[in-house]
């Protein structure tokens, strides 16, 4: 059911409250739910409301239609939003705020994935606590084909979830994997036939409606403490490496080749 407290700031993000579950659905089907600026910006305010709403026990993220969860960033905005240094900084900060609002949300979050889950879609999914998928889901992190730098937080989420070996495999090759391989790597918890996904989701919404919310919240908070980084971590180095990617000729080549639908030629400069 609709609720005025969860009115989205854009029609490209749909929201509704169903019992104790808040649903946030990415609704850009013409672009396979690619994330536009207004979609990134819509997420944090919704979660701020849900955080203090005792009715909400679970937040579920999904994509409109059956073809995609999220197919990445909306490339129609790449030139405007990711070409210049200032635009990159602004775009990265906006995406970081949205993803960290999901990651740091104190209640359970779940990504319910059908079809394409690419780039930013993987980042949304791995920011959630739980991921379930239809058997036709496809996962990929194509940053290395675009010359993009990936933020520390996104890389840490990936490594924490599937381990450094599997994370480097997916990241370095940019290859696509199916739901079965995603399950074997730990990228998703469970997968099922597409027609059974609603029933699988209902298992989770029912369990979270019935289970003790303080126990669940404590488990989530303690897990976060376990995964905190070491004090020797050089975040300045991480940020410098990312800036180097975005300021490189390779990034310009990767972005241009992507929009021209050709294979990029990278030089490492």
């Amino acid at each position: 059911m609709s609720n005025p407290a969860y009115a989205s700031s854009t029609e490209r993000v749909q929201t509704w409250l169903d019992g104790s579950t808040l649903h946030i659905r990415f609704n850009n089907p013409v672009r396979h739910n690619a994330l536009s600026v207004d979609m990134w910006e819509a997420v944090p305010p919704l979660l701020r409301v849900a955080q203090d709403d005792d009715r909400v026990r679970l937040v579920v993220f999904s994509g409109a239609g059956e073809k995609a969860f999220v197919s990445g960033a909306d490339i129609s905005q790449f030139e405007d939003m990711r070409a210049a240094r200032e635009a990159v900084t602004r775009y990265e900060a906006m995406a970081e705020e949205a993803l960290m609002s999901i990651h740091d949300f104190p209640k359970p979050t779940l990504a319910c994935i059908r079809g394409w889950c690419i780039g930013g879609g993987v980042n949304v999914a791995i920011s959630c606590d739980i991921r379930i998928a239809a058997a036709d889901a496809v996962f990929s992190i194509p940053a290395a084909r675009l010359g993009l730098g990936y933020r520390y937080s996104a890389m840490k989420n990936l490594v924490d979830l599937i381990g450094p070996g599997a994370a480097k495999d997916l990241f370095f090759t940019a290859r696509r994997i199916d739901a079965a391989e995603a399950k074997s790597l730990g990228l998703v918890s469970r997968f099922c036939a597409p027609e059974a996904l609603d029933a699988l989701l209902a298992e989770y919404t029912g369990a979270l409606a019935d289970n003790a919310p303080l126990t669940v919240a404590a488990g989530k908070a303690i897990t976060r403490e376990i995964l905190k980084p070491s004090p020797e971590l050089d975040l300045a180095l991480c940020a410098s490496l990312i800036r180097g990617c975005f300021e490189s000729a390779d990034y310009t080549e990767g972005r241009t080749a992507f929009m021209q639908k050709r294979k990029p030629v990278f030089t490492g400069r």
Side-chain angles (χ1 to χ4, degrees), residues 97-175:
E97 181 185 4
L99 293 169
M100 292 308 295
S101 74
I102 300 170
H103 180 271
D104 293 341
F105 187 67
K107 302 174 185 180
T109 53
L110 182 148
C112 185
I113 301 163
R114 298 178 189 265
W116 299 105
C117 183
I118 309 295
V122 172
N123 285 342
V124 171
I126 65 178
S127 295
C128 293
D129 298 309
I130 301 167
R131 287 146 297 282
I132 61 174
D136 62 358
V138 177
F139 302 84
S140 176
I141 303 172
R145 292 182 179 170
L146 292 166
L148 296 172
Y150 244 48
R151 295 179 305 280
Y152 166 82
S153 59
M155 290 298 294
K156 185 175 190 303
N157 283 346
L158 186 66
V159 170
D160 285 345
L161 185 62
I162 65 175
K168 287 185 281 189
D169 180 340
L170 295 184
F171 191 81
F172 295 174
T173 66
R175 66 189 180 89

Side-chain angles (χ1 to χ4, degrees), residues 220-233:
K220 177 167 181 172
I222 292 167
T223 302
R224 185 182 300 125
E225 292 301 311
I226 292 168
L227 295 173
K228 279 187 175 178
S230 121
E232 293 90 28
L233 179 68

Side-chain angles (χ1 to χ4, degrees), residues 43-67:
V43 172
L46 294 169
L47 293 180
R48 284 194 291 269
V49 175
Q51 179 171 332
D52 297 322
D53 187 345
D54 290 339
R55 297 171 299 175
V56 175
R57 301 280 187 91
L58 173 68
V59 177
V60 172
F61 290 87
S62 62
E66 299 182 353
K67 293 184 177 180

